[in-house]
Amino acid sequence: ERIRQQKQLLAEYNQRIAEQQAIALRNAQRLEQQRRLAHYRYQQAYYEQLRQQQARLESDRYDYDNDPYYYTPPTYQYRRGDNDYQTNQYGADQLRRATNTGYQKGYEAGRADRQDKWRFDYRESFAYQDANYGFDGRYVQQEDYNHYFREGFQRGYEDGYYGRRTYGTNTNGSESLLGTVLNMILNLQPLQ
């Protein structure tokens, strides 16, 4: 049943990526009109990474039967909105990746807006609206991935825009959230 659900989620995700292409084009045109060249370059790079991600997913012949995620019971609980969810270590790792990837992309977007001398507005960024970079359609619901990507993005944007490291750090050229911040955002609780 979990494998069937996963295949359905992946099909829905592929459809969503196709819809995002039109939005990305409109955003790129708007950025050009506003002469926001740094953010335009950032968005074009994000979009190209998203396009490559989609191509990999379309050509992927994933072996669901040999993935231990589908046979591993939940070990964590987390809350998003008013609902509680359960996941195992594989899902928890995916949520961590979502949040850290969001932070990295947010940092880049904030830095680009600062370079363009544009106002602080992380919600306007296509990457924030899309929130799918790094999502492969596995282990967690797309809504969960999007939510935690945006949580990381917001903090990364703030750090990048103001040129500081309140929420994250740079290790070997890669932006990531501080462990305490990541734990606060996810608030994963072990199941008893």
Side-chain angles (χ1 to χ4, degrees):
E1 177 62 19
R2 285 173 96 179
I3 292 172
R4 186 193 64 73
Q5 289 173 346
Q6 194 67 53
K7 288 179 180 180
Q8 175 65 31
L9 289 173
L10 187 55
E12 291 170 6
Y13 173 58
N14 280 330
Q15 167 123 15
R16 176 146 188 234
I17 288 178
E19 294 167 357
Q20 291 297 86
Q21 291 175 357
I23 295 170
L25 180 60
R26 285 193 304 271
N27 280 354
Q29 291 168 340
R30 181 178 42 81
L31 291 170
E32 282 183 310
Q33 291 169 350
Q34 295 169 338
R35 292 181 167 64
R36 295 172 60 193
L37 299 179
H39 200 99
Y40 174 81
R41 285 189 301 273
Y42 160 76
Q43 180 179 301
Q44 292 305 98
Y46 176 87
Y47 179 70
E48 178 58 25
Q49 292 165 339
L50 200 60
R51 191 192 63 69
Q52 290 172 7
Q53 176 179 303
Q54 181 184 19
R56 281 191 306 274
L57 291 174
E58 286 176 356
S59 66
D60 189 16
R61 302 291 171 240
Y62 195 71
D63 185 2
Y64 291 95
D65 293 326
N66 288 320
D67 186 332
Y69 164 78
Y70 299 103
Y71 310 104
T72 305
T75 52
Y76 293 103
Q77 180 172 303
Y78 63 98
R79 177 174 277 275
R80 184 173 60 81
D82 293 333
N83 298 314
D84 289 324
Y85 300 92
Q86 293 183 349
T87 192
N88 58 25
Q89 185 64 49
Y90 299 96
D93 289 345
Q94 183 76 316
L95 295 176
R96 286 183 191 96
R97 271 192 302 278
T99 311
N100 271 316
T101 302
Y103 178 83
Q104 179 183 18
K105 296 302 174 189
Y107 191 91
E108 294 168 8
R111 188 176 56 204
D113 278 350
R114 183 181 74 223
Q115 290 170 352
D116 286 337
K117 297 179 180 14
W118 194 255
R119 70 180 175 277
F120 180 96
D121 189 359
Y122 62 88
R123 286 187 175 101
E124 185 182 69
S125 176
F126 173 73
Y128 177 84
Q129 295 166 12
D130 174 66
N132 280 301
Y133 182 70
F135 184 61
D136 61 6
R138 297 186 186 103
Y139 304 157
V140 297
Q141 298 285 331
Q142 184 173 0
E143 295 81 17
D144 287 346
Y145 188 93
N146 297 155
H147 172 79
Y148 289 107
F149 180 99
R150 289 182 181 118
E151 288 290 317
F153 189 97
Q154 178 182 351
R155 289 161 177 86
Y157 183 94
E158 188 175 320
D159 277 358
Y161 190 86
Y162 293 116
R164 63 184 190 204
R165 303 245 188 257
T166 301
Y167 301 108
T169 187
N170 183 304
T171 307
N172 298 326
S174 180
E175 305 296 336
S176 62
L177 283 162
L178 296 170
T180 54
V181 175
L182 182 62
N183 290 336
M184 181 195 70
I185 293 170
L186 293 175
N187 195 24
L188 292 167
Q189 300 297 315
L191 292 173
Q192 303 298 341

